[in-house]
Amino acid sequence: MARARGLVRDAVADDGRPLVVALSGGVDSLALTAVAAFVARQQDRHVRAVVVDHGLQEGSAVIAARAAEQAAGLEVPARVVTVTVSEGREGPEAAARRARYAALAADADADDALVLLAHTTDDQAETVLLGLGRGSGPRSIAGMPERDGRWVRPFLRLRRMETEAICRAHGLTWWDDPHNTDARFRRVRIRRELLPLMEDVLGGGVAEALARTAELVRADVDLLDSLADQAYTDEVESLRALPDAVRSRVLRRLVLDGGAAAGELSAEHLAHVDALVTDWRGQRRVELPGHVSVVRSGNRLTCIRTPVAG
């Protein structure tokens, strides 16, 4: 309990803005609500909880109301926000996440609040393994940052078993999302099958090691991203002169700025774009997800919107 309070206290120590806890009713977010309530009382700052009801499961309104009720029992005012999840090409999980973050951001905008997210070491380890499986470079295994603007994740160094202990100490009853046991989701299989196997084979401490790896990789990636920001250009000769690690980041930003779909952009796509710079043989264009193509014209790379058929 003391360690959890210290993590939250340290995460918001340099910023006196109000706090919004993203509360789902699950064990991690309920524990975060309890700890945030304690820290807010200590620091005499405002804290509230927002429960986002995605409406994707039967009884979701009841679950959301129960989460808000438990927050109120911790002297944390809470409100339920119902959102509509519009699933496109991104899939149900990503669509729900997008709707949830939009609702949280809208609430926080009212008083420029910080938003506390309850991701734990376990979540970070799962994220790193998913990134490794995609093979899309160091950014994908850098995991989630503790702080990203207004978004704060103070529990990244806390295990899920510890959040359960915090909830029990406060007499809180959490909701177990059935999606967290549904083997159709890759993250669930990583949590229930792959991580336990790795713990057995490697002798324990795997989740902590993966989270530590993400932290170390993120420091390197942040530096390279900073260098890429300084070197940003669409001029071929300037791009060719950049180190590979910096050039790949500049090209990624260039095509994303041009409208390429971030979630579908792969290392292979970027390799083809890089060939327009380093291995030019008269290629006409590189087609990218998001109905965007990249062409080389003289000494410049240009992104062009591709007409959608039909």
Side-chain angles (χ1 to χ4, degrees), residues 119-186:
H119 298 114
T120 64
T121 299
D122 302 77
D123 297 311
Q124 186 75 298
E126 293 160 13
T127 299
V128 172
L129 288 174
L130 282 168
L132 282 170
R134 286 194 299 267
S136 50
R139 174 56 71 186
S140 67
I141 62 171
M144 299 173 284
E146 180 179 294
R147 182 73 174 268
D148 182 14
R150 69 164 24 134
W151 310 97
V152 186
R153 299 177 177 87
F155 276 6
L156 284 181
R157 297 184 183 180
L158 210 65
R159 294 299 306 272
R160 191 165 288 134
M161 67 184 72
E162 294 174 289
T163 62
E164 291 179 1
I166 291 169
C167 284
R168 291 191 184 99
H170 285 86
L172 300 170
T173 304
W174 61 87
W175 172 64
D176 285 317
D177 186 345
H179 285 167
N180 289 336
T181 58
D182 190 338
R184 290 177 300 173
F185 297 104
R186 187 176 291 115

Side-chain angles (χ1 to χ4, degrees), residues 241-261:
L242 295 174
D244 292 351
V246 177
R247 184 174 61 252
S248 66
R249 285 164 170 78
V250 173
L251 292 174
R252 177 178 174 81
R253 181 179 155 190
L254 185 69
V255 299
L256 291 178
D257 288 350

Side-chain angles (χ1 to χ4, degrees), residues 70-152:
Q70 294 205 79
L74 295 166
E75 300 182 1
V76 176
R79 74 184 188 100
V80 176
V81 178
T82 302
V83 298
T84 300
V85 178
S86 301
E87 183 182 343
R89 298 173 62 185
E90 58 192 343
E93 284 183 288
R97 186 185 309 111
R98 176 167 47 80
R100 179 169 63 254
Y101 274 66
L104 292 167
D107 186 275
D109 280 342
D111 54 0
D112 193 29
L114 297 176
V115 182
L116 304 186
L117 305 170
H119 298 114
T120 64
T121 299
D122 302 77
D123 297 311
Q124 186 75 298
E126 293 160 13
T127 299
V128 172
L129 288 174
L130 282 168
L132 282 170
R134 286 194 299 267
S136 50
R139 174 56 71 186
S140 67
I141 62 171
M144 299 173 284
E146 180 179 294
R147 182 73 174 268
D148 182 14
R150 69 164 24 134
W151 310 97
V152 186

